[in-house]
């Protein structure tokens, strides 16, 4: 028990030293009122308890042991395991509801039938004739230019 207390005391001292060094860095960067603003901020901010300490849940007021994985609630307090799970599931539900909904099977079927009638989508692979027609449509101007060049070359001979 004594070793554990010494270890906790050392951890607290390190944290305090870190906070003091951060404050001194802020004071160097800030203006003449740097100390006042830090003191006001520290007065209103709630320090996060160390792992292993007991804390009350922000939502259900149930007493639980703080772990490194304890999550913070909407108002800055810590949540117990049960409430943190509920919060995660709520976030997932909100994300799903805000995500773009895909068209149902009926709308997809209507769209594919419409595309088939327009000639955009066909079932299965295209026939060789269809492929040749599509390629010739897309390269029609190039084919005309090649045809023109072959005629002019034949005339030159």
């Amino acid at each position: 028990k004594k070793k554990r207390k010494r270890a906790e005391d050392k951890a607290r001292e390190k944290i305090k030293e870190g906070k003091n060094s951060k404050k001194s860095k802020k004071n160097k960067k800030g203006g003449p009122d740097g100390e006042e603003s830090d003191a006001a901020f520290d007065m209103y901010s709630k320090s996060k308890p160390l792992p292993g300490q007991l804390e009350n849940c922000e939502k259900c007021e149930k007493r639980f042991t703080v772990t490194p994985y304890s999550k913070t609630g909407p108002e800055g307090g810590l949540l117990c395991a049960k409430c943190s799970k509920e919060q995660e599931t709520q976030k997932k539900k909100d994300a799903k509801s805000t995500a773009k909904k895909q068209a149902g099977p009926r709308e997809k079927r209507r769209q594919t039938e419409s595309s088939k009638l327009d000639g955009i989508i066909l079932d299965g692979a295209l026939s060789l004739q269809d492929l040749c027609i599509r390629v010739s449509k897309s390269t029609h101007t190039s084919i005309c230019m090649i045809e023109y060049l072959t005629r002019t070359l034949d005339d030159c001979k």
Side-chain angles (χ1 to χ4, degrees), residues 144-154:
C144 291
M145 292 298 290
I146 291 171
E147 201 174 300
Y148 175 74
L149 287 175
T150 53
R151 286 183 190 161
T152 55
L153 290 174
D154 288 341

Side-chain angles (χ1 to χ4, degrees), residues 39 56 62 116 122 128 136 156-157:
N56 289 332
K62 182 181 172 184
K116 282 181 186 176
L122 296 172
L128 182 60
S136 63
C156 293
K157 288 184 184 177

